[in-house]
Amino acid sequence: MAELFDSYGSNYREVVQSSIDFSGLSHSFFMRAKADLLRKLIAQHPGMDKPAMLDVGCGVGSLHPLLRGTVGRLSGIDVSSDCIIRARDDNPSVDYRVFDGSSFPFDEASFDLVTAICVLHHVAPVARANFIKEMRRVARPGGLICIIEHNPLNPLTRFAVMRCEFDRDAILLGAREARKLLLAGGLREIGARHFLLLPWETNRARSIESALSSMPLGAQYAAFGTA
Ligand SMILES: C[S@@+](CC[C@H](N)C(=O)[O-])C[C@H]1O[C@@H](n2cnc3c(N)ncnc32)[C@H](O)[C@@H]1O
């Protein structure tokens, strides 16, 4: 896995862009939608003022500039050392670390918020329970755990995944499966929201998406729970 993403440390965004060019949308459009969704989840979760955040499988850190002002201390870990080198260059204030993909290099209860964004479909199904267990271990009791994943029920998402070079190992999981994983991992107050349904960033588009978020229509979904 590290080797797969190591070859994309320098051109990660370009490779993602080429897989979604057909939609006429930019990679940054998708990143802003994820940042907006995270901001909402943080605002709605009790005791989350400027949370200390760990982003597992952070890649080249594309999301991190968009979270300035929303999160406090920010750490990112990834199995790809080339991605981490690029992330450090772009975001010098973030604490980035390379790790082995199974034991997260932090003490228990170190973070208020732990995310894994478009990572789990690269983790072998047999290893996913341990991955969630580690997410929960490093989150403080009452903290928020959030997974963002491709929605396999959306045909355009499947098309984009099929076109993406580094998704050749991807085994997609739907929101129901993600919620089951979170439940089996001992998380509480589990929920899911689908998003990236409309190709606009207006407030109106965001509120329509929000109203329809329980239906599995959008290109991606967030599944979340309380540690
Ligand atoms: C599609 S990229 C997503 C990167 C970033 N989260 C984003 O949204 O831009 C998937 C990332 O997951 C990382 N990855 C794969 N398996 C992993 C594992 N077991 N633990 C942590 N990261 C992993 C890859 O190295 C890659 O950087």
Side-chain angles (χ1 to χ4, degrees):
M1 176 54 55
E3 296 77 11
L4 173 61
F5 277 91
D6 274 349
S7 42
Y8 297 104
S10 59
N11 65 345
Y12 174 83
R13 291 183 189 94
E14 291 75 14
V15 173
V16 175
Q17 186 60 53
S18 69
S19 71
I20 54 174
D21 266 347
F22 71 88
S23 68
L25 298 169
S26 66
H27 176 234
S28 54
F29 168 84
F30 287 84
M31 298 315 285
R32 286 194 296 275
K34 288 175 215 201
D36 282 353
L37 184 81
L38 276 177
R39 263 191 289 279
K40 277 195 195 113
L41 290 176
I42 290 168
Q44 289 164 0
H45 197 84
M48 280 281 169
D49 185 30
K50 299 261 167 69
M53 170 176 170
L54 172 64
D55 188 18
V56 185
C58 61
V60 296
S62 308
L63 183 70
H64 299 163
L66 304 176
L67 296 176
R68 267 186 220 128
T70 301
V71 302
R73 173 168 55 90
L74 177 55
S75 300
I77 55 175
D78 203 288
V79 292
S80 163
S81 51
D82 281 9
C83 285
I84 288 294
I85 288 169
R86 175 68 193 266
R88 275 191 193 125
D89 279 351
D90 288 355
N91 305 293
S93 64
V94 180
D95 162 36
Y96 288 110
R97 306 186 194 180
V98 184
F99 82 119
D100 64 9
S102 58
S103 304
F104 296 1
F106 295 100
D107 291 338
E108 57 192 45
S110 298
F111 298 94
D112 304 304
L113 169 65
V114 184
T115 57
I117 300 170
C118 295
V119 180
L120 222 54
H121 60 266
H122 294 292
V123 176
V126 68
R128 288 176 184 168
N130 179 65
F131 190 94
I132 302 295
K133 196 175 121 210
E134 280 293 279
M135 290 183 86
R136 182 179 173 217
R137 183 184 66 77
V138 298
R140 67 158 167 85
L144 177 64
I145 302 237
C146 178
I147 288 164
I148 295 183
E149 275 298 321
H150 297 311
N151 175 15
L153 298 177
N154 181 311
L156 294 178
T157 297
R158 294 194 87 98
F159 185 59
V161 168
M162 199 184 73
R163 285 166 57 94
C164 186
E165 289 173 30
F166 55 66
D167 275 342
R168 55 186 182 264
D169 72 337
I171 301 176
L172 300 186
L173 65 160
R176 187 177 299 180
E177 194 179 341
R179 290 169 64 135
K180 270 195 203 158
L181 272 171
L182 295 178
L183 190 63
L187 296 166
R188 299 173 289 116
E189 295 155 3
I190 291 162
R193 283 186 205 167
H194 292 82
F195 69 118
L196 282 166
L197 173 61
L198 302 171
W200 306 293
E201 290 182 80
T202 59
N203 288 341
R204 182 143 180 78
R206 290 277 198 259
S207 50
I208 293 171
E209 285 196 343
S210 182
L212 296 173
S213 65
S214 62
M215 301 169 85
L217 300 173
Q220 298 197 340
Y221 67 86
F224 45 87
T226 301

